[in-house]
Amino acid sequence: MEIRVVDNTRDISCDVLIINKFEGKQTSNPLVNRFAPETFTGKKGEIFVIHTQKEYPSTYILAIGLGKEQEVDNSVIRENIAKAVKKCIEMKAKTIAFDIETDYAFGECAIIGASIANYHFDKYKTKKEHRISELYISRVSSEIIETSKIIADSVKLARNLANEPAAFATPSKLAEIAQGLEGIKTVVYDESKIKELGMNAYLAVAKGSVEPPKFIHMKYTVDNPKKRIAIIGKGLCFDSGGLDIKPPASMLNMRDDMSGAACVLAVMKALVKLKPDVEVHGIIAACENMPSGSSYKPGDILTAKNGKTIEVDNTDAEGRLTLADALCYACELGVDEVVDIATLTGACMVALGTAASGIMGNNDEFVSDLVKIGASSGEKYWQLPMWQEYRDNMNSDVADMKNTGTRYGGASAAGMFLKEFVTDSVKWAHIDIAGTAFLEKPNKEFCKGATGAGVRTLLSYITR
């Protein structure tokens, strides 16, 4: 979708001109008064469409309600613009324009909302989905336009990767993509180097697959960075559950178990264009969790990179094993902060559904900062507790810990497990996107499928 800035979108010849109205407020926009009926009150999400009968440069006028003006925020703008754009797609429009009357800084939200709504993963379809080809906007600076496009493209990249079948998005393919990022220094470790580095927990998960593991370390840096950050994405390119195999229905979408890795790849690609004054390490321990004669087994005892031992209680609790070694590696880089993002637990999905991701960490101020930035970026997070009781449930008779606890409090237990592999001096946050990374049905601005969860939050945090 091409985005074009013009002086006045009302003068543009296009298929649909999108205008707005606030609930309970008279509007100075003559188009609302001329084309929308009195029954159009401006309630949030309310839509009215009318053919202009060639009395206006645009073929149609689409009026969207934004609700009460005092209640407008980033999410209201983005979600309702997305709803209007989806309606335009239904109408088979090719060119659209925005004439949004508000003092609110709507530019970035409108562009990102429109881009998200215009997305379809139809790579493997012979008949492609309809898309908007051109969007006209006014009263928005070129800087905002460029930043918004970069963020929107990053979300799209993450969605594409997580939507790809596992036969395409293999560990080797993720490594190839990482090595192709311009302006990013990338090192990829193979199985022998992973073993040499002592990442035996991660390596155990990878043993059952014919696809070789790839440990990916990307680095973006500048002279005299004000901060050093590591972002780690869970990179399970397919998760069958291993020998504790999942039921067939639970395996259908397990290509999305590398959504954290997709997020990190998308963020790293964007940093070169956004040029933040920080050093960022993007880390992915990529592999598959498959059942075979070489698979790791329940009862195995693994030694992680930091020397701690883990009794395998369930081979389907594999993501935390790969993240354990990745966290150890990240903490050895001399970074100030570490964020890991992972489709980690079904328990988080049960607790929060698809409305929010779980978040926890070893520094409440750091976690709260990410929660606030996420809310502004359009991604909700809910802080979950990290109490000793959750850790005690993972005590083992034969090792330092088990890789699972009881059936209760699973999301917090996973967080407490990961905490064992984080250096105390490093600020750390864990984001569980199990419920938000992939949608079974359309929700708000998103269609069914991958959402690119975490991209907007991490980019906003790193570049602020």
Side-chain angles (χ1 to χ4, degrees):
M1 181 172 63
E2 291 293 324
I3 299 172
R4 305 185 188 281
V5 181
V6 295
D7 293 332
N8 189 348
T9 52
R10 298 180 192 180
D11 297 334
I12 293 298
S13 177
C14 61
D15 294 324
V16 183
L17 177 66
I18 299 172
I19 61 178
N20 73 292
K21 184 178 181 181
F22 293 107
E23 184 179 1
K25 180 183 177 182
Q26 292 294 321
T27 177
S28 60
N29 191 326
L31 301 178
V32 174
N33 299 326
R34 180 178 177 185
F35 290 106
E38 292 183 4
T39 53
F40 176 70
T41 62
K43 289 182 180 179
K44 191 185 300 182
E46 186 180 7
I47 285 179
F48 180 81
V49 180
I50 190 169
H51 197 294
T52 63
Q53 302 297 327
K54 298 184 180 179
E55 294 181 27
Y56 211 76
S58 62
T59 305
Y60 291 92
I61 298 287
L62 186 156
I64 182 79
L66 294 181
K68 296 178 181 178
E69 188 170 19
Q70 62 270 27
E71 296 176 359
V72 169
D73 59 15
N74 287 2
S75 293
V76 169
I77 294 288
R78 184 178 49 256
E79 290 169 14
N80 284 284
I81 286 294
K83 184 173 183 178
V85 170
K86 286 181 180 181
K87 182 65 178 178
C88 293
I89 292 172
E90 288 178 15
M91 297 163 60
K92 303 300 181 184
K94 280 287 189 181
T95 58
I96 64 174
F98 291 147
D99 184 25
I100 305 298
E101 184 188 59
T102 175
D103 292 333
Y104 196 83
F106 76 96
E108 181 175 316
C109 300
I111 292 168
I112 293 174
S115 298
I116 289 173
N118 200 41
Y119 175 88
H120 302 283
F121 186 72
D122 56 5
K123 175 180 174 180
Y124 298 99
K125 288 186 174 183
T126 53
K127 184 179 180 181
K128 304 304 181 184
E129 300 288 339
H130 180 81
R131 289 178 173 83
I132 306 297
S133 58
E134 289 183 319
L135 184 157
Y136 293 90
I137 194 168
S138 61
R139 304 188 303 277
V140 178
S141 71
S142 58
E143 183 180 356
I144 289 176
I145 295 288
E146 185 59 29
T147 299
S148 303
K149 286 173 64 177
I150 292 169
I151 295 171
D153 287 346
S154 300
V155 173
K156 180 181 177 181
L157 172 60
R159 296 175 81 182
N160 281 342
L161 287 174
N163 276 325
E164 285 280 2
F168 174 87
T170 63
S172 296
K173 185 63 176 181
L174 296 190
E176 178 188 323
I177 293 169
Q179 289 173 315
L181 297 180
E182 294 184 9
I184 299 294
K185 182 181 178 181
T186 300
V187 177
V188 177
Y189 297 137
D190 61 12
E191 187 171 350
S192 61
K193 184 63 176 180
I194 294 167
K195 186 174 183 178
E196 181 184 323
L197 290 170
M199 298 187 195
N200 298 303
Y202 161 41
L203 205 55
V205 177
K207 282 170 58 179
S209 176
V210 296
E211 291 287 347
K214 299 292 180 182
F215 189 86
I216 305 164
H217 178 188
M218 298 163 280
K219 182 179 179 181
Y220 163 85
T221 193
V222 293
D223 293 334
N224 302 313
K226 63 181 180 182
K227 187 188 291 188
R228 291 176 170 83
I229 305 170
I231 54 175
I232 302 170
K234 178 184 172 184
L236 265 293
C237 295
F238 190 80
D239 178 22
S240 70
L243 292 181
D244 287 311
I245 196 164
K246 297 177 184 288
S250 299
M251 257 190 274
L252 284 175
N253 293 328
M254 279 299 103
R255 65 186 183 276
D256 85 316
D257 215 18
M258 41 67 71
S259 293
C263 169
V264 169
L265 282 167
V267 168
M268 296 304 294
K269 182 176 181 179
L271 294 181
V272 178
K273 296 179 181 178
L274 294 173
K275 297 180 172 59
D277 188 21
V278 293
E279 181 175 290
V280 183
H281 299 263
I283 296 169
I284 300 167
C287 65
E288 291 183 340
N289 184 28
M290 298 292 285
S292 74
S294 60
S295 295
Y296 77 126
K297 307 169 184 67
D300 283 355
I301 298 175
L302 314 175
T303 302
K305 194 176 191 304
N306 64 352
K308 292 186 179 181
T309 56
I310 307 159
E311 178 187 0
V312 179
D313 190 51
N314 190 313
T315 63
D316 196 21
E318 83 301 325
R320 65 197 68 184
L321 297 175
T322 67
L323 290 172
D325 282 333
L327 284 164
C328 293
Y329 180 92
C331 289
E332 293 174 0
L333 298 175
V335 295
D336 305 298
E337 300 168 353
V338 174
V339 179
D340 75 77
I341 183 164
T343 47
L344 202 62
T345 65
C348 191
M349 213 171 166
V350 171
L352 302 176
T354 60
S357 302
I359 188 171
M360 59 200 90
N362 63 4
N363 184 289
D364 284 343
E365 184 179 351
F366 182 39
V367 170
S368 295
D369 207 9
L370 287 167
V371 171
K372 290 176 184 176
I373 289 171
S376 178
S377 303
E379 297 183 308
K380 294 179 181 177
Y381 300 96
W382 189 263
Q383 186 172 2
L384 297 170
M386 296 189 71
W387 296 328
Q388 186 60 35
E389 290 88 341
Y390 299 117
R391 172 61 183 85
D392 291 342
N393 287 333
M394 293 182 288
N395 287 338
S396 167
D397 294 332
V398 293
D400 293 329
M401 70 199 86
K402 297 178 182 179
N403 71 327
T404 62
T406 67
R407 60 179 294 193
Y408 304 111
S412 289
M416 290 299 289
F417 178 90
L418 295 179
K419 187 174 182 287
E420 295 283 335
F421 305 94
V422 179
T423 306
D424 290 340
S425 60
V426 176
K427 292 180 182 178
W428 161 70
H430 160 60
I431 300 174
D432 191 332
I433 56 172
T436 56
F438 196 95
L439 300 175
E440 295 290 345
K441 59 182 180 180
N443 184 31
K444 295 183 178 178
E445 62 260 57
F446 290 96
C447 61
K448 179 181 177 180
T451 64
V455 172
R456 287 175 285 168
T457 299
L458 291 181
L459 282 178
S460 296
Y461 179 75
I462 292 169
T463 61
R464 63 176 179 165

